[in-house]
Amino acid sequence: MLLPGILLASCAVGPDFVAPASPGVDGFTRERLAATISAPVAGGNAQGFASGSDISGYWWALFRSKQLSAFVEEAVRNHPDVQAAQFALRNARESALAQQGSLFPQVTANGSAERDQASTSQSGQWPAQTSTYALYGASVSVSYALDVWGGTRRQVEALQAQADYQAFKLEATYLALTANVVTAAITDASLRDQITATEEIIKAEADQLARIQHQFDIGAISKSDVLSQEATLAQARATLAPLQKQLAQQRNQLMAYLGRLPSQDRGEHVMLAELRLPGRLPLSLPSTLVRQRPDIRQAEATLHQATATVGVGIANLLPQLTLSGSYGASGPERLFSPDTIVWSAASSVSQKLVDGGTLYHTKEADVAAFEQDLALYKSAVVTAFQNVADSLRAIQYDAATLKAQAAAEKATADSLAMAVEQFKTGAVPYANIINAQQSYLNARVSRIKAQAARFTDTAALFQSLGGGWWNRTDETPEALPRANPGYFAGSDKKTQDAMR
């Protein structure tokens, strides 16, 4: 009567996991952010914030670029990191299911057959005679470790938390990859525009050099003016190769994100002028950010696992109860006849009395790990809120930067045109044209960079808010336990084919 009472009253020792509360703040920045200012260039429209709005699972489509969306889809489909994260999730789920088996009785079947030959000489009889006989045995053994203190259940809980960790690691991998693809494609477009602008300026300066050379040939200007223009043209040409190098390396990086090799680059690219800047940006409430960020959810799952592990350590300090039994038959005759039946039933309790403090200090190490993981969880939350605040500030100030750069580009273009006209009339020396050309080149390249920054800032905001993974399904069949693969089946055929 005592044992059923113990089983009914049994519980899982150790702390029960409770998810930490969200930070008690009502905003990501000290003051409420207003809509950004606008600039009279492509991608220069104002952006406002819709507080509390949900985030699209396919946020990159808001840029309205089919090529950009195609890049993201290809990356998600082909990148090995995403595939590895799918299998890591399946691994964790299978491990949790394997541990659940420990909650059930363990049944083992045993069988034996033996053929012996005996001689009567061993008993002193002579002449000796030999006889041959067979012995057979068959039994079923059952053992059941009573999970009175919940140690096994805590182990299952810890492995399920590990599976949750892998699920959110998959989302973190997906989020990082999609954001990196978008940023790489925008940077690629920006470098192309910078190269185009530099080539146009080089052509204009080369034409100007031809005119200056002609004027020198007819004696209208001095040799110093020709040399100055040659130096300016050489400086402009010197800026082209580094941009081309950056573009080549950026293409290699983009191909890697797509799961291609550099030699498999087919030349597809996004054009900066074709991108559309979302005018209304969703902004999650601070209280919901901790449920949206995959890295925070990973830290939470790790904390959950650490909590359950503390329970395992406490359960190991307590007595362990086991029930066991067997039923079978053994003899030279027909098995399972009444005179060959053997059976047994037993129960046991074990408790370590002296172990040098091993179990106690193991439990204390688990407690310290829990405290460490709690601190790391808090650090992940602080970093997440910083990421959002940084993105919001970047959107705000880079909008002002683009407006200033657009104004600077227009002013330097007007200044260059005026300097050329004044030089034609002899009102200013040629050095004024040189300075105006250099100022215009710098201003135009800076405007292109500021233009691209508006798009990358927007992508960074979506990434910092979690990327909307809860509004799409990222798990593939590879993340789920296989359905009837065969008891002794190995890896899937397509995996084997990929290794050949």
Side-chain angles (χ1 to χ4, degrees):
M1 295 298 294
L2 178 61
L3 182 58
I6 294 176
L7 294 176
L8 290 174
S10 65
C11 61
V13 296
D16 292 325
F17 175 72
V18 177
S22 301
V25 296
D26 57 4
F28 295 102
T29 55
R30 189 168 56 181
E31 70 280 356
R32 185 180 180 86
L33 293 179
T36 67
I37 61 177
S38 60
V41 294
N45 55 282
Q47 290 180 297
F49 303 100
S51 181
S53 296
D54 198 10
I55 299 171
S56 169
Y58 304 92
W59 53 267
W60 50 86
L62 297 176
F63 293 114
R64 299 181 185 178
S65 168
K66 292 183 178 179
Q67 184 59 64
L68 184 62
S69 295
F71 278 154
V72 173
E73 292 170 5
E74 181 179 354
V76 171
R77 185 173 60 251
N78 294 335
H79 202 282
D81 285 356
V82 175
Q83 297 170 0
Q86 301 281 1
F87 288 115
L89 177 53
R90 190 175 94 191
N91 183 340
R93 286 172 169 166
E94 292 285 10
S95 296
L97 291 173
Q99 185 61 37
Q100 284 182 7
S102 300
L103 294 171
F104 298 91
Q106 306 298 302
V107 181
T108 304
N110 301 288
S112 64
E114 181 179 343
R115 190 169 182 83
D116 291 332
Q117 177 177 288
S119 173
T120 59
S121 63
Q122 296 175 352
S123 60
Q125 296 182 12
W126 194 261
Q129 296 181 351
T130 61
S131 62
T132 303
Y133 61 93
L135 293 175
Y136 302 98
S139 65
V140 176
S141 301
V142 180
S143 65
Y144 183 34
L146 298 178
D147 192 29
V148 176
W149 314 114
T152 302
R153 279 171 284 162
R154 289 299 192 193
Q155 289 176 336
V156 173
E157 181 183 354
L159 288 172
Q160 289 173 338
Q162 176 64 21
D164 291 339
Y165 174 90
Q166 293 296 343
F168 290 114
K169 185 176 181 179
L170 168 62
E171 299 300 348
T173 302
Y174 195 107
L175 175 60
L177 179 61
T178 53
N180 286 339
V181 169
V182 170
T183 300
I186 293 172
T187 303
D188 176 273
S190 173
L191 289 169
R192 289 177 184 276
D193 281 5
Q194 292 176 52
I195 289 173
T196 298
T198 302
E199 289 174 340
E200 290 176 357
I201 292 172
I202 289 174
K203 183 178 183 305
E205 291 183 354
D207 293 342
Q208 182 69 5
L209 176 60
R211 288 190 290 269
I212 294 299
Q213 183 66 51
H214 176 70
Q215 290 179 337
F216 171 73
D217 291 341
I218 62 176
I221 59 174
S222 65
K223 182 64 175 178
S224 61
D225 292 337
V226 177
L227 295 176
S228 295
Q229 181 60 25
E230 288 178 346
T232 300
L233 177 58
Q235 289 174 358
R237 285 173 173 164
T239 64
L240 184 59
L243 290 174
Q244 292 171 328
K245 171 187 172 182
Q246 290 181 53
L247 178 60
Q249 293 177 337
Q250 188 63 44
R251 292 298 298 182
N252 294 340
Q253 180 64 79
L254 180 57
M255 292 303 105
Y257 288 144
L258 300 181
R260 302 187 205 171
L261 301 178
S263 60
Q264 295 173 318
D265 188 346
R266 297 191 291 269
E268 321 98 297
H269 63 273
V270 173
M271 297 184 64
L272 205 59
E274 294 179 350
L275 296 175
R276 296 295 177 266
L277 193 67
R280 195 73 171 166
L281 296 174
L283 184 59
S284 304
L285 296 175
S287 59
T288 63
L289 185 66
V290 296
R291 312 311 303 165
Q292 295 178 182
R293 287 270 301 216
D295 56 341
I296 296 180
R297 298 298 296 273
Q298 282 182 264
E300 180 183 310
T302 300
L303 184 61
H304 187 178
Q305 183 179 18
T307 304
T309 303
V310 171
V312 174
I314 295 174
N316 289 338
L317 292 169
L318 299 170
Q320 307 299 308
L321 283 72
T322 303
L323 299 178
S324 61
S326 65
Y327 178 86
S330 178
E333 304 294 336
R334 181 172 55 90
L335 288 179
F336 299 108
S337 61
D339 56 344
T340 63
I341 296 297
V342 292
W343 62 269
S344 67
S347 64
S348 65
V349 178
S350 65
Q351 171 69 59
K352 282 192 177 181
L353 299 179
V354 179
D355 66 351
T358 299
L359 292 177
Y360 169 76
H361 289 295
T362 298
K363 183 267 295 181
E364 284 298 290
D366 294 336
V367 172
F370 165 78
E371 300 289 355
Q372 176 189 11
D373 290 333
L374 179 58
L376 292 175
Y377 173 87
K378 294 177 180 178
S379 177
V381 172
V382 171
T383 301
F385 275 72
Q386 177 192 351
N387 292 159
V388 177
D390 287 347
S391 298
L392 292 172
R393 292 302 189 187
I395 289 173
Q396 178 185 18
Y397 292 116
D398 283 346
T401 299
L402 178 57
K403 182 176 182 179
Q405 292 294 352
E409 181 184 19
K410 183 178 184 305
T412 54
D414 293 342
S415 177
L416 176 59
M418 181 179 294
V420 171
E421 293 301 322
Q422 289 177 337
F423 175 74
K424 290 179 180 178
T425 62
V428 296
Y430 191 72
N432 287 33
I433 293 181
I434 301 298
N435 293 334
Q437 286 175 333
Q438 192 61 45
S439 295
Y440 175 64
L441 171 61
N442 293 336
R444 186 172 178 184
V445 171
S446 296
R447 187 267 301 164
I448 294 171
K449 291 180 179 179
Q451 196 175 7
R454 294 295 306 278
F455 295 103
T456 56
D457 290 343
T458 300
L461 177 62
F462 284 114
Q463 182 179 15
S464 67
L465 293 174
W469 57 267
W470 54 94
N471 287 323
R472 64 174 186 264
T473 300
D474 294 334
E475 291 184 17
T476 64
E478 284 79 6
L480 302 173
R482 293 189 292 177
N484 301 320
Y487 199 77
F488 299 103
S491 59
D492 295 332
K493 184 178 184 301
K494 66 177 183 180
T495 303
Q496 298 173 8
D497 292 342
M499 297 177 63
R500 293 190 176 95

